[in-house]
C-alpha cells in the first residue's frame, strides 16, 4: 500500500502522453504474460503476444498526440523526437550497459563477440535485423542472448521514425483521405504478414513491413471519434470481448503456433476493443484499479530488465527454474523495474528536462547511441585483454564451430543424404542412387530414416555393419512416420517419406530398418503403426529412442561449469526426453521390432550420472543434444545391428526393452 500511495502522489508516467487510466492497466495485461512466458510458466504459453498489445498501444497514443498537435498547429518534429529520446533512451542505455558488464563476467569468449554485436545493433535500434539473420525466436538456443528482447524496441523505434513523417505528409496533402490511407497501412501489411509467414517466417516475425499493421490498427483507432459516442452497453461488450480475445490468445497459442499472421489478430483486435471501450466501461474500471495501473506504470522498465535477469540467472544457477528460483527472478525483475522507473526514467520526465531544446536532446541521444555501438563492437577485444581465458575453456568453447569441422560434418550431413529447409520440387537434390545404394551382395543392407537425431549416428552405425551397407535418408525436422503427420502434402519431408514407404522399401529387400528422430509424445501411436507396417516388408525394425537434451549448447555449459561461472551440467538438463524414454520402454511394440534406449547407454547408472565427455575427452554433444562424432562412435559400439533382439509373435504382449 505504501508503494501504491507513492505512485499516486508522484506519477512515473510520461507527462507528455494523455493520461488514460485503463491504458495503464492494459500495459499491465501486456507485460505480465510476457514475463510469465519468458520465465517458462505454463500458465501463459502464448504470453509472447503481450508485445503485440504494446504495438497497438504505441500506434494509438502516438497517433493521437501527433493528430492533436497537427490540428492545433503545435506539431514539431524536433519536439516529437525529443520526447521519444527522453522517454526511451535513459533506461534503455542503462540496461545495455548493465548487460555488458554482467556479460563480461558470466559469458564465454565466443559469446562476448555475439554480445558485442548485439549491443551495437541494439544501440542503433536495428537488433531486429540482427536477430532476423541469426536467431529464430522460438526454436533457437537463447541461453546466452540477454538482449534478444530488444528486437521489439528496435521495431518500435523504426515505427517512431516513420510515423510523424507519414502523418505529416498525409495531413498536409491528402487530409480528407486520412483514415483510408491509415486503413491501407493495416490491410496491406497484414496481408503480407499472412502471405509471408509460410515463405519468410523469421523475416515476418522480426521486420517492420510485416508488423507495421499492428501499430497501424492502433493508429486507425486514433483517427476515429465514434467509439466515445457509442452507448455504454456497446462499450461494455467491446471491452469484455477485447479482454476475452487477449486471454484466449495467451492461453491457446504457444511457441509452435504460426505467428504473427492471423493469430496476431487475437491480441491486436483485443487491444483495440479494450481501448475503444473507453472510460466508464466494466473493462476500463477493472484495468484502472491501482495494482494494474502500478504495474502498467513500470511496464517499460519491467520489459527492459526481466529478460536479462532470467538469462543471467539461468546461466549461473541452472536452466530449470523451481518455485524458489522463479520467486527470486521475479522479485529482482520487479525491483529493478521500480528502481529504474523511479531513479533513471523519472528525472528525464521533469519540466526542466522537457524544456531543453529539441535539437540538443536529439543530437545528444544520437551521439550516445553511436558511442554505445562502438563500445559494443569492441567489447570482445576489451574483455579478452582484461580477462585471460584458460586453455581448457578455449578448447570447449571452440565447439561453437564444430559443425564446420570434418568430424562435425560427419554428424550433420549424413554423407550428403540430409535434406534441409528450402528444398523445392519434392526432394530435389537427394541422390537416390548414392544414398539408397544396393550395397554388396551377401552383406547386410539396412536403411536408416529420420531427422537430425538420426543423422548424428549414421556414419558411426554404418561402421558397425561389418562390410554391409547402411542406406541413409534424413531430413530436417522430419519425423519418419507413415503419412508424415503435421506436414503439408507438398513438403519435402512428405515427398521423401512417400518415396521410401511406397516405392523404395517394398522393392529393396532390406535386412532391417532403423528409425531415429527427436520423438514427441504425440508421435508414439503413429510410430507403432509405422513399425507394424514396415514389419511386413522387412525382418527387423529398430527404433532408437530419444537422447539427453540440455538447455543451451553443451560444450559451453561444460566450459561455464569448469570456469566457475555456472551451475552443474545436470541442472541444465531438460526433463522430457527421460520421461519419454520411460514411456517408450513400456510400449508393446509390434513383432520384429526392437526398441533401444539411447538414454540407458548414455546414463547407465541413471540420470544422475549421464556421460558428459567421451574417453578421449570430447563433449558428448556439440549443441543442445546432437552427438559429437567421438560420442556417436562410443554409442554405436554398444549397438549390434546384426544381433538385436526382438519379440517373437508369441511374446508381443510383453514390453521389449533390449537395452
Amino acid at each position: 500500500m505504501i508503494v501504491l500511495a507513492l505512485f499516486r502522489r508522484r506519477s512515473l508516467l510520461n507527462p507528455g502522453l494523455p493520461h488514460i487510466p485503463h491504458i495503464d492497466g492494459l500495459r499491465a495485461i501486456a507485460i505480465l504474460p510476457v514475463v510469465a512466458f519468458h520465465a517458462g510458466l505454463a500458465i501463459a504459453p502464448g504470453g509472447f503476444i503481450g508485445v503485440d498489445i504494446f504495438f497497438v498501444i504505441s500506434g494509438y497514443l502516438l497517433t493521437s498526440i501527433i493528430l492533436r498537435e497537427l490540428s492545433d498547429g503545435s506539431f514539431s518534429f524536433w519536439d516529437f523526437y525529443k520526447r521519444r529520446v527522453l522517454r526511451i533512451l535513459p533506461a534503455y542505455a542503462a540496461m545495455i550497459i548493465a548487460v555488458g558488464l554482467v556479460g563480461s563476467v558470466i559469458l564465454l569468449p565466443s559469446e562476448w563477440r555475439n554480445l558485442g554485436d548485439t549491443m551495437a545493433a541494439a544501440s542503433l535500434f536495428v537488433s531486429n535485423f540482427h536477430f532476423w539473420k541469426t536467431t529464430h525466436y522460438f526454436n533457437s538456443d537463447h541461453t546466452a542472448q540477454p538482449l534478444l528482447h530488444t528486437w521489439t524496441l528496435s521495431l518500435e523505434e523504426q515505427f517512431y521514425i516513420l510515423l510523424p513523417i507519414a502523418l505529416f505528409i498525409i495531413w498536409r496533402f491528402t487530409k480528407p483521405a486520412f483514415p483510408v490511407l491509415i486503413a491501407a497501412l493495416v490491410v496491406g501489411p497484414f496481408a503480407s504478414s499472412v502471405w509471408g509467414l509460410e515463405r519468410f517466417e523469421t523475416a515476418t516475425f522480426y521486420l517492420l513491413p510485416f508488423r507495421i499493421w499492428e501499430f497501424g490498427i492502433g493508429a486507425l483507432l486514433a483517427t476515429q471519434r465514434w467509439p466515445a459516442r457509442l452507448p455504454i452497453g456497446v462499450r461494455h461488450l467491446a471491452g469484455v470481448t477485447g479482454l476475452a480475445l487477449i486471454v484466449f490468445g495467451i492461453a491457446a497459442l504457444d511457441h509452435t503456433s504460426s505467428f504473427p499472421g492471423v493469430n496476431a489478430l487475437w491480441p491486436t483486435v483485443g487491444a483495440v476493443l479494450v481501448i475503444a471501450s473507453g472510460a466508464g466501461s466494466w473493462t476500463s474500471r477493472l484495468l484502472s484499479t491501482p495494482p494494474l495501473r502500478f504495474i502498467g506504470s513500470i511496464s517499460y522498465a519491467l520489459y527492459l530488465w526481466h529478460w536479462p535477469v532470467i538469462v543471467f540467472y539461468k546461466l549461473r544457477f541452472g536452466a530449470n527454474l523451481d518455485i524458489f528460483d522463479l520467486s527470486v527472478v521475479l522479485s529482482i525483475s520487479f525491483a529493478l523495474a521500480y528502481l529504474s522507473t523511479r531513479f533513471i526514467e523519472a528525472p528525464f520526465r521533469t519540466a526542466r528536462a522537457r524544456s531543453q531544446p529539441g535539437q540538443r536532446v536529439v543530437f545528444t541521444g544520437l551521439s550516445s547511441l553511436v558511442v554505445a555501438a562502438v563500445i559494443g563492437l569492441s567489447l570482445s577485444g576489451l574483455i579478452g585483454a582484461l580477462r585471460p581465458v584458460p586453455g581448457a575453456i578455449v578448447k570447449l568453447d571452440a565447439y561453437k564451430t564444430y559443425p564446420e569441422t570434418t568430424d562435425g560434418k560427419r554428424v550433420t550431413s549424413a554423407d550428403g543424404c540430409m535434406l534441409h529447409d528450402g528444398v523445392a520440387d519434392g526432394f530435389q537434390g537427394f541422390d537416390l542412387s548414392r544414398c539408397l545404394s544396393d550395397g554388396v551382395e551377401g552383406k547386410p543392407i539396412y536403411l536408416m530414416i529420420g531427422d537430425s537425431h538420426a543423422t548424428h549416428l549414421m556414419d558411426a552405425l554404418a561402421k558397425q555393419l561389418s562390410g554391409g551397407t547402411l542406406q541413409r535418408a534424413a531430413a530436417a525436422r522430419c519425423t519418419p512416420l507413415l503419412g508424415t503427420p503435421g506436414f503439408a502434402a507438398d513438403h519435402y519431408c512428405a515427398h521423401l517419406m512417400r518415396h521410401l514407404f511406397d516405392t523404395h522399401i517394398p522393392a529393396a529387400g532390406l535386412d532391417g530398418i532403423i528409425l531415429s528422430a527427436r520423438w514427441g509424445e504425440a508421435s508414439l501411436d503413429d510410430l507403432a503403426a509405422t513399425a507394424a507396417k514396415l514389419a511386413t516388408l522387412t525382418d527387423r525394425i529398430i527404433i532408437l529412442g530419444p537422447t539427453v537434451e540440455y538447455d543451451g549448447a553443451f560444450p559451453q555449459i561444460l566450459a561455464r561449469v569448469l570456469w566457475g561461472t555456472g551451475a552443474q551440467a545436470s541442472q541444465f538438463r531438460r526433463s522430457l526426453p527421460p520421461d519419454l524414454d520411460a514411456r517408450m520402454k513400456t510400449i508393446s511394440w509390434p513383432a520384429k521390432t526392437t526398441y533401444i534406449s539411447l538414454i540407458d547407454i548414455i546414463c547407465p547408472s541413471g540420470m544422475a550420472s549421464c556421460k558428459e565427455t567421451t574417453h578421449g575427452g570430447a563433449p558428448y554433444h556439440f549443441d543442445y543434444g546432437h552427438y559429437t562424432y567421438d560420442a556417436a562412435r562410443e554409442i554405436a559400439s554398444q549397438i549390434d545391428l546384426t544381433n538385436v533382439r526382438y519379440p517373437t509373435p508369441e511374446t508381443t504382449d510383453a514390453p521389449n526393452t533390449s537395452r
Side-chain angles (χ1 to χ4, degrees), residues 1-209:
M1 294 303 296
I2 295 175
V3 173
L4 294 181
L6 180 65
F7 271 79
R8 290 192 192 101
R9 291 175 59 191
R10 180 179 290 182
S11 174
L12 299 185
L13 296 175
N14 190 336
L17 295 179
H19 188 76
I20 307 175
H22 75 288
I23 290 185
D24 296 347
L26 185 58
R27 288 190 179 99
I29 299 300
I31 188 58
L32 291 176
V34 172
V35 174
F37 175 75
H38 286 160
L41 295 176
I43 194 174
F48 55 87
I49 69 172
V51 298
D52 304 88
I53 300 173
F54 280 122
F55 294 161
V56 175
I57 294 173
S58 293
Y60 174 76
L61 291 179
L62 294 184
T63 301
S64 298
I65 293 171
I66 294 172
L67 291 183
R68 183 189 64 201
E69 293 178 351
L70 286 171
S71 297
D72 62 24
S74 64
F75 175 75
S76 163
F77 283 105
W78 287 117
D79 285 344
F80 176 83
Y81 292 126
K82 176 183 72 174
R83 290 194 297 266
R84 291 296 88 206
V85 168
L86 294 174
R87 174 72 177 92
I88 299 296
L89 284 192
Y92 186 69
M95 183 273 297
I96 291 177
I97 293 170
V99 166
L101 292 174
V102 177
S104 67
V105 176
I106 290 181
L107 298 182
L108 299 171
S110 66
E111 297 162 343
W112 295 340
R113 176 60 184 272
N114 180 63
L115 175 62
D117 291 345
T118 308
M119 286 177 62
S123 298
L124 299 178
F125 291 109
V126 291
S127 63
N128 58 324
F129 288 95
H130 172 77
F131 292 119
W132 165 44
K133 291 295 186 181
T134 62
T135 307
H136 191 292
Y137 185 77
F138 295 112
N139 295 337
S140 293
D141 170 30
H142 302 156
T143 310
Q145 294 275 25
L147 293 175
L148 176 63
H149 66 318
T150 62
W151 75 270
T152 64
L153 299 167
S154 293
L155 207 63
E156 289 217 23
E157 286 302 315
Q158 292 158 23
F159 174 72
Y160 296 159
I161 292 172
L162 295 176
L163 178 67
I165 298 173
L167 293 183
F168 180 82
I169 293 174
I170 294 172
W171 183 273
R172 182 78 177 269
F173 300 105
T174 58
K175 184 176 178 180
F178 205 102
V180 176
L181 293 175
I182 298 297
L185 189 66
V186 175
V187 176
F190 172 71
S192 71
S193 175
V194 175
W195 175 80
L197 196 57
E198 294 297 324
R199 296 164 178 82
F200 328 106
E201 180 185 5
T202 306
T204 304
F205 187 87
Y206 282 120
L207 301 186
L208 186 62

Side-chain angles (χ1 to χ4, degrees), residues 188-486:
F190 172 71
S192 71
S193 175
V194 175
W195 175 80
L197 196 57
E198 294 297 324
R199 296 164 178 82
F200 328 106
E201 180 185 5
T202 306
T204 304
F205 187 87
Y206 282 120
L207 301 186
L208 186 62
F210 302 102
R211 289 283 200 160
I212 196 171
W213 69 271
E214 300 182 38
F215 298 93
I217 197 171
L220 182 62
L221 179 64
T223 67
Q224 306 301 309
R225 297 180 180 273
W226 54 262
R229 300 169 181 169
L230 292 174
I232 187 62
V234 175
R235 292 196 286 116
H236 283 325
L237 179 61
V240 171
T241 302
L243 206 56
L245 291 176
I246 292 171
V247 172
F248 176 81
I250 293 169
L253 301 179
D254 60 26
H255 69 282
T256 66
S257 303
S258 296
F259 201 86
V262 173
N263 279 325
L265 291 174
W266 302 113
T268 53
V269 173
V272 165
L273 290 175
V274 169
I275 295 171
S277 68
S281 68
W282 294 328
T283 304
S284 174
R285 293 172 191 167
L286 172 65
L287 297 180
S288 299
T289 55
L292 289 179
R293 288 179 59 192
F294 167 68
I295 295 173
S297 70
I298 64 170
S299 59
Y300 172 60
L302 184 56
Y303 184 81
L304 286 179
W305 293 101
H306 83 281
W307 178 247
V309 168
I310 291 172
V311 169
F312 287 134
Y313 189 91
K314 285 184 174 183
L315 288 176
R316 185 63 184 85
F317 298 106
N320 300 314
L321 302 182
D322 58 22
I323 294 177
F324 173 79
D325 295 321
L326 287 170
S327 64
V328 171
V329 165
L330 295 178
S331 297
I332 294 173
S333 298
F334 274 89
L336 287 175
Y338 172 76
L339 294 173
S340 177
T341 305
R342 178 68 181 84
F343 296 106
I344 299 178
E345 294 180 54
F348 288 91
R349 302 182 193 178
T350 61
R352 179 180 178 183
R354 296 196 307 275
S355 67
Q356 297 298 312
Q359 295 96 321
R360 180 188 301 172
V361 172
V362 172
F363 281 123
T364 301
L366 291 177
S367 300
S368 66
L369 292 177
V370 172
V371 171
V374 171
I375 293 174
L377 291 174
S378 58
L379 183 71
S380 179
L382 290 173
I383 301 175
L386 297 173
R387 194 176 184 208
V389 184
I393 304 300
V394 173
K395 185 176 180 180
L396 284 169
D397 198 32
Y399 277 85
K400 201 83 170 181
T401 59
Y402 184 77
E404 301 169 14
T405 66
T406 300
D407 280 352
K409 292 176 181 177
R410 288 175 175 174
V411 294
T412 58
S413 72
D415 196 24
C417 300
M418 170 75 170
L419 293 176
H420 294 276
D421 291 341
V423 176
D425 301 325
F427 49 98
Q428 181 182 11
F430 189 84
D431 192 336
L432 292 173
S433 61
R434 183 172 59 82
C435 298
L436 304 178
S437 61
D438 294 335
V440 180
E441 186 175 352
K443 296 289 186 178
I445 302 176
Y446 278 68
L447 168 64
M448 188 167 184
I449 316 172
D451 57 16
S452 60
H453 282 244
T455 305
H456 60 179
L457 282 170
M458 284 181 175
D459 191 86
L461 284 175
K463 292 178 170 54
Q464 298 298 110
L465 280 176
S466 303
T469 298
L470 182 68
Q471 298 179 350
R472 312 172 190 206
R477 295 190 294 278
C478 181
T479 310
L481 301 170
L482 291 170
T484 56

Side-chain angles (χ1 to χ4, degrees), residues 617-633:
Y620 243 71
H621 313 273
F622 67 85
D623 59 5
Y624 72 91
H626 293 102
Y627 304 132
T628 59
Y629 187 57
D630 287 355
R633 286 189 298 177

Side-chain angles (χ1 to χ4, degrees), residues 457 460-461 464-465 514 542 544 596-598 601 632-644 659:
L457 282 170
L461 284 175
Q464 298 298 110
L465 280 176
I514 307 168
I542 301 169
L544 301 182
I596 296 179
S597 170
L598 296 178
I601 295 175
R633 286 189 298 177
E634 285 192 6
I635 293 168
S637 68
Q638 300 184 58
I639 301 174
D640 186 355
L641 295 178
T642 60
N643 192 35
V644 293
R659 292 191 183 271

